[in-house]
Structure formats: C-alpha cells, structure tokens
Amino acid sequence: MPDVAIAGFAKAPNVRETPGTTNGVEMLVPIFAEVFAQTGLSKQDIGFWCSGSSDYLAGRAFSFIAAVDAIGAFPPIHESHVEMDAAWALYEAWLKIKMGEVETALVYGFGKSSAGQLRRVLALQLDPYVVTPLWPDSISIAGIQARLGLEAGLWSEKDLAEVAARGTGTDVTELLDTPYFADPLRKHDIAPITDGAAVIVLSTVERAREIVEHPAVITGIEHRVDSPVLGARDLTRSPSTEAAGRALDLDGVDLAELHAPFTHQELILRSALGLGDGVRINPSGGALAANPMFSAGLARIGEAAIRIHRGESRKAVAHATSGPALQQNLVTVLEAR
C-alpha cells in the first residue's frame, strides 16, 4: 500500500463571529483557492473529497450538501462526509489513498459556532435518555472533570494557569486572580467560541514530493473510543488516547499539536501520550487560541504538518478529539522523510 503525506494546509481566519451562512461556503471558497495556489493543484487533480461538519451546529439538515457549492457543480466529484470533526474525514481519505483507489484527496471541515448556543448544542451528544434531559452544558462537564483532577492531586489551578499563560504570555499570578467562570475553570481555561474552517490536501508520498519540498508523511494514525457514559470511566485519564499512543511509534517526537479545548485536558493528553518536557506543545496556540467546531481537530494535524514543511520539526504528533470530556480520540504521527 502506498504511503500517504500531507502536501498542503490552509485555514480560514478564526473569528468570534462571521456574517456568513452556516453551510460554510463563504469560509471555504477562499481557503480552497489558497490551498490550490499553494500546491499548484486544481479541482481536476483531486481524486476524492471528504468533509466534516455537523447538521446540529448548522441548524439545518444536510448542511454539508450545501457546502459542496464551494467546490462547484461541474465536473462531478467523488465526495463523502462525516458528522464530526474533519480529522475523521482525513482518516477516511487516508484509507482511500492507502487502498490505491485515488492518488490525491482534499479534506475540509467547517463550523459556525456563533449561530446558536454552543454549550447547549453540545449537550445533544450526551446520553439521550439519562443525561441530555438534564441539559448539562459542555463547560460544566469539563468543570467536573477538572475538579476531579484537582481533588485527586493530579494538577493544581496553577498548573492550569501555566498552560493558558504559555500561549498568551500573561503572568500566571494575574490569571489566578481572575474570577471563576465555571468553578474551578476560569475564562482562560476555556477555548473561545470560534467560527472557522480548515482544509488539507493528501496525496501519495511520490506525488507529494512534486508539490512540497518536505512532505509530512503520515507514518501512523489510530482512533480509539471511550464509553459515552460519563460515570463509567475515569475522567481524569484518557484511556482511548493512551491506547492510540501505544499503537504508534512516538519515539523522537519533537512537536505536538493537541486538541485540548480546556487547559486541564492538555495535561491529560500530555500524560496519556507520554510527552516529556523536550516536546514543543501547541506552537500554533491550539484550541485555547481558536476552537472552530468540526475543523479544530483537522487544524491540529495541518498545523503539525506545516511545521514539517518548514523544516521546524522532524517528527510530530497531532491529536483530535470528539465527544464530551475527551470521549473519542484520534492520534496521527507525521514525519519528514
């Protein structure tokens, strides 16, 4: 089976609110043009298209069909979609290339979080019989997770502030003086509501070498799932991330892009993957800087890839999550060859 590499990456400006529609077309058209200019490819060169988004978030059925307008009606395309973060769309496209069905693929994800009440929308992914009727919002669930870790002595509020301060340069003491938003979380512990989109071009390694000087070769990708029942698992750990990491070769990783929408979740993920002090964590700022729903996980893979393209990393790990309290996790290893 052919090896697969990332040959291009682009993302829309991450903003609190965009005036565009919830089908993402206005965000996607410019970044499609950007990635085609970056790679020298055209629509006709793409063998497979795969997207990630959410009809719940968009507030309309089959919103991903409307998003295909960004691609154009002609000539016909080979297209698929996943109802979750586009990192899982990348997994599907990676399989298409590995199986020899296509040579190139374009993966994209989009989300307009500002169109509704995000904390309430995310409650719809919880157990529909027992938990969703109580409408616990996503931040409150994360607050429970953070509190469990504090009570177990696994981290302190200062540890959380240090994660937030790394990306902003703000003084840790100053952050600790701010009020709680959802005890024990403060606003700096929580990813911002973000409208955004991202796109990645995949190809065989041979084709990627014609496109970019340093292709980011996908040398491993694993996806694991934990129970959706919050009381059935230890929320201070991420067993699915641990299992995915054990199935991959993480020796020599020098950079990690972790999809952690809350500061304490970065600590959980770093422990689950065994990332030491010598690994650069989220040089892009991660989800705490911008968290566009359904493309933030894909963007973590893209951000890791462009560091390899630029020669800033030799081996990187990228992580994407979906579901409440790190319920589903996908881990990708990228290398410069």
Side-chain angles (χ1 to χ4, degrees):
M1 292 187 289
D3 286 335
V4 182
I6 294 174
F9 168 65
K11 61 181 180 179
N14 292 304
V15 296
R16 174 59 180 81
E17 184 174 0
T18 174
T21 56
T22 57
N23 63 23
V25 169
E26 295 88 344
M27 291 186 287
L28 292 170
V29 169
I31 60 176
F32 282 170
E34 180 183 342
V35 84
F36 284 145
Q38 179 189 121
T39 60
L41 300 175
S42 68
K43 175 184 171 182
Q44 287 74 21
D45 295 315
I46 304 300
F48 178 64
W49 304 70
C50 199
S51 61
S53 66
S54 170
D55 285 347
Y56 273 117
L57 189 69
R60 63 173 79 181
F62 296 101
S63 61
F64 72 96
I65 296 295
V68 176
D69 285 348
I71 302 171
F74 186 85
I77 61 170
H78 183 194
E79 186 267 347
S80 185
H81 173 263
V82 299
E83 184 78 9
M84 59 196 308
D85 192 287
W88 277 263
L90 180 138
Y91 185 81
E92 182 176 341
W94 173 78
L95 283 173
K96 285 280 187 185
I97 298 174
K98 290 292 285 185
M99 297 304 294
E101 293 189 22
V102 296
E103 188 180 43
T104 58
L106 189 147
V107 181
Y108 62 97
F110 61 93
K112 183 176 167 64
S113 304
S114 64
Q117 296 176 297
L118 183 62
R119 294 169 69 176
R120 191 172 177 87
V121 170
L122 292 178
L124 294 169
Q125 67 188 340
L126 301 169
D127 182 298
Y129 301 104
V130 179
V131 185
T132 297
L134 302 175
W135 290 103
D137 64 87
S138 55
I139 295 177
S140 297
I141 289 174
I144 293 171
Q145 186 181 38
R147 173 57 63 190
L148 289 170
L150 287 170
E151 297 297 332
L154 299 176
W155 52 71
S156 65
E157 292 187 24
K158 182 181 178 183
D159 292 331
L160 306 188
E162 287 175 346
V163 171
R166 187 191 65 234
T168 63
T170 309
D171 182 70
V172 170
T173 304
E174 183 180 334
L175 292 177
L176 290 172
D177 285 338
T178 59
Y180 291 117
F181 184 80
D183 191 354
L185 300 177
R186 298 172 168 87
K187 282 196 173 181
H188 60 256
D189 294 311
I190 304 165
I193 293 174
T194 313
D195 292 352
V199 56
I200 280 178
V201 172
L202 294 175
S203 72
T204 61
V205 171
E206 290 72 18
R207 186 68 187 276
R209 289 197 179 104
E210 300 171 2
I211 298 170
V212 63
E213 184 176 357
H214 302 293
V217 181
I218 298 175
T219 56
I221 183 168
E222 294 288 337
H223 168 219
R224 299 289 188 274
V225 183
D226 289 319
S227 172
V229 181
L230 297 175
R233 55 189 170 102
D234 179 358
L235 296 182
T236 66
R237 295 174 50 233
S238 180
S240 55
T241 304
E242 293 171 9
R246 285 195 299 269
L248 297 168
D249 176 14
L250 300 180
D251 289 342
V253 164
D254 54 34
L255 181 146
E257 281 283 342
L258 305 177
H259 186 189
F262 302 92
T263 50
H264 67 277
Q265 291 183 351
E266 180 184 303
L267 300 178
I268 293 172
L269 293 169
R270 280 160 50 181
S271 175
L273 294 172
L275 302 177
D277 294 336
V279 179
R280 291 178 63 199
I281 306 293
N282 288 347
S284 68
L288 290 174
N291 187 38
M293 295 302 298
F294 304 100
S295 67
L298 182 70
R300 303 282 67 74
I301 300 172
E303 293 286 0
I306 61 172
R307 265 66 187 186
I308 291 177
H309 292 173
R310 296 172 185 166
E312 298 172 10
S313 170
R314 295 292 302 173
K315 186 174 183 178
V317 62
H319 161 270
T321 193
S322 184
L326 300 174
Q327 187 236 335
Q328 301 186 50
N329 295 279
L330 182 147
V331 181
T332 306
V333 178
L334 304 171
E335 294 188 46
R337 287 185 175 176

